[in-house]
Amino acid sequence: MGDLRSTVVVGAMVILSVLLAYVQETRSGKAVEKLQELVQSSTLVLRDGKETDIPTVDLVPGDIVLLNAGAIIPADLRLISAKDFFLSQSALTGESMPIEKTAELNGKAPGSVIELPNACFQGSYVVSGTARGVAVNTGERTYLGSISAKLAGEKTQTSFDRGIQGFTWLMIRFMIVMVSLVFLIVGLTKHDWADALLFSLSVAVGLTPEMLPMILTVNLSKGALSMAKKKVIVKRLSSIQNFGAIDVLCTDKTGTITQDRVVLEKFVDVANQPSEDVLRYAYMNSYYQTGLRNLLDRSILSHTDLDVERAARKVDEIPYDFQRKRMSVVIEHEDAHIMITKGAVEEVYAACSSYQIDGEVLPLIDVIRRDLMEEYERLSRSGYRVLAVAYREFPRDKTAFGIKDEAGMVLLGYLAFFDPPKDSAAKALSSLTGMGVSIKILTGDNELVTQKICGDVGLKAGGVITGSQLALMDETGIMKAAEEHTIFARLSPSQKEQVISALQKAGHVVGYMGDGINDAPALNLADVGISVDTAVDVAKESADIILLEKSLTVLEDGITEGRRVFGNITKYIKMGASSNFGNMFSVVGGSYFLPFLPMLPIQILMNNLLYDISQTGIPMDNVDADYLAKPKKWNIDNIKKFMLFVGPISSIFDYATYFLMLYFFGCIAFKDGGANAPYLEKLFHTGWFVESLLTQTFIVYIIRTKKIPFLQSMPSLPMIVTTAAVIAVGIYLPYSHFSDKLGMVPLPGVYWLWITGFMAVYAAMTHGVKVWFYRRYGDD
């Protein structure tokens, strides 16, 4: 998590490496070896009451572990003793600040197991203090191990996978019915079962959308290349379509919508008015201390333009500890020694007997103390991390100082810190909302901070659900909470999964954006996992899409690109499915009443090949702006209805062509036999081949948009070129040198007048049915 982990670099690296080892090596049995190499030696293992040299990875339940500062928790432990014991659970919860653990329960019911005050979990690390704990769970049975097990498992089917699978089975069912009917009809009417089998297999090929894999791959690859230009890595091609389909985006807070750094937002006096004195005193406290400077100190010291004494003589220092929760430095100033104290508000208050406002020092009586605490509480409720600053003057002859001297101090004011949102967050989230994507915050951080950040980026909270509240809900309650609430705070990794799973069960396509180890299971479960360039490696490994730049505005571009890709994929599916269905519907009828096959098997295959070639321009086609305005999901029922309503229209003109060729051009005379019969059969085949190819190729322009083609929606140049080329080839084939090999003959000139009329009426009818269909059933 970027800068917020900078105070614990070693620990974070170990945690990251441990989880990576789990993910990559659990199945091969090497996870234990990897853990053994990485866990530091700041722990001591007791077995049967004796010190041992047992590696921490060989722990078994019941072993006693002694923990010191810097230790990585090697197993899930129950504390049996602890002294000033603080550890970081950021790897598990995402909350950056250390928390105190004790051997006793505090009497409060924990919201989740991770909040138990006397339990430590593998993957956490010790910030300060000492403790002794008994191992409860080890290895894969630990809380961290359960996360790695989920990541090692097979990824669940996404919306894209389910959609493609649904369409495949739809076509298979139609194919089985149509091929069986054609085989039986041709066999019974023509009495040639070998030809019937060959012809029915040709029909199966004709019904198959052979170009679908190519259309899918080219569309998705084109989308990935487009996103790469915007510095977005697409790890899984199918995630492009899922990106466009998401209607709920769940996101972690820290590092995704925030800058993942601590900023000193306010420095105010006790009346909550800006005060340079407060900043100046705090600066000197941080500047002159010799201990480890934490994130808050570095944030204070970033104010380098401050007019402050940097060359004063340091007299003494009282280091920070987690019992006092404050630290003091003493510097020489003019004719006095000044003690400057900075720390937790309650602890600094306890050391103060007066306060300063507008340069006047006043006694800190109980009534005033309560009023001043209200200012502090107001800042805390606003989501700030608040410290207090106080000072005390001593005579110059006093040169040694201790904790007892932190008394009778003057309260000067407060410092308010927070992790600010990214500059692009508010605009990006607003744009996503405008595109029909609901935003939900899933974080392990506390609810006050989360509410403030959400307010800063323009998200309406509408109530907050905490991990402890979620733990008390059944599946129905979780689904209801997931639908109705925007902010979920203090969540464990498994609870993030629960929220995402509930949204998916409710029919949503869910995206999740996170950057921490604790986000990895949610990234793996979501339909599309999104991470950022500063994320830990485990999060990047689990994600489908990685943003290489800090700006979140690329999310809008990604969703638009995903919808464009999906729009072009469904164009091909609707065009191919309806056209092929219509043609094969014509084949079934023609096979019954015609004295010969409606079209030769080689002609069916050639027709299908040319039509598929005409569709190669689809990945480069334009998509209407209104189509991109809202999320798009797979709707197999809608595709089936479109195929059933639009497909038979082509059959009307196929049958019209049948009767044109039979009775206008005299092909019905085939029944009388004679020397001219083979020519008449070829003439019929040629006439229907050309009509079938031209109408289904031209009708692409009608089906590709809800609007009036060319006038309201212009196809792309590649689309125009490919379809025009195929139409030209279709017209040329009957007159080509190899027409005889295809079983074709030249067509009379008047034929082209008839076909031109058919195409005009066909286009008008299809457009009318299309408009009616979209009004009634929508375009999902």
Side-chain angles (χ1 to χ4, degrees), residues 213-289:
M214 187 281 288
I215 295 292
L216 284 175
T217 303
V218 173
N219 263 297
L220 296 172
S221 299
K222 180 176 177 290
L225 289 173
S226 176
M227 294 306 298
K229 294 176 182 177
K230 298 170 182 175
K231 297 189 177 181
V232 176
I233 294 176
V234 179
K235 291 176 55 185
R236 298 178 181 88
L237 283 181
S238 63
S239 63
I240 287 284
Q241 188 275 317
N242 288 327
F243 209 178
I246 60 174
D247 58 346
V248 176
L249 175 63
C250 299
T251 177
D252 184 30
K253 175 183 66 64
T254 306
T256 50
I257 64 174
T258 68
Q259 297 179 20
D260 199 10
R261 64 189 180 94
V262 174
V263 172
L264 176 58
E265 176 74 3
K266 294 184 177 183
F267 35 92
V268 296
D269 61 20
V270 293
N272 200 24
Q273 298 300 312
S275 171
E276 286 286 334
D277 285 341
V278 172
L279 177 58
R280 188 175 296 108
Y281 275 72
Y283 188 99
M284 288 188 289
N285 176 279
S286 298
Y287 184 81
Y288 287 107
Q289 73 172 86

Side-chain angles (χ1 to χ4, degrees), residues 665 667 670 675-685 745-748:
F665 291 104
C667 295
F670 173 87
N676 203 33
Y679 168 77
L680 294 176
E681 182 180 5
K682 289 182 179 181
L683 180 63
F684 182 94
H685 289 161
V745 295
L747 291 164

Side-chain angles (χ1 to χ4, degrees), residues 86 120 402 644:
F86 286 77
C120 302
L644 292 175

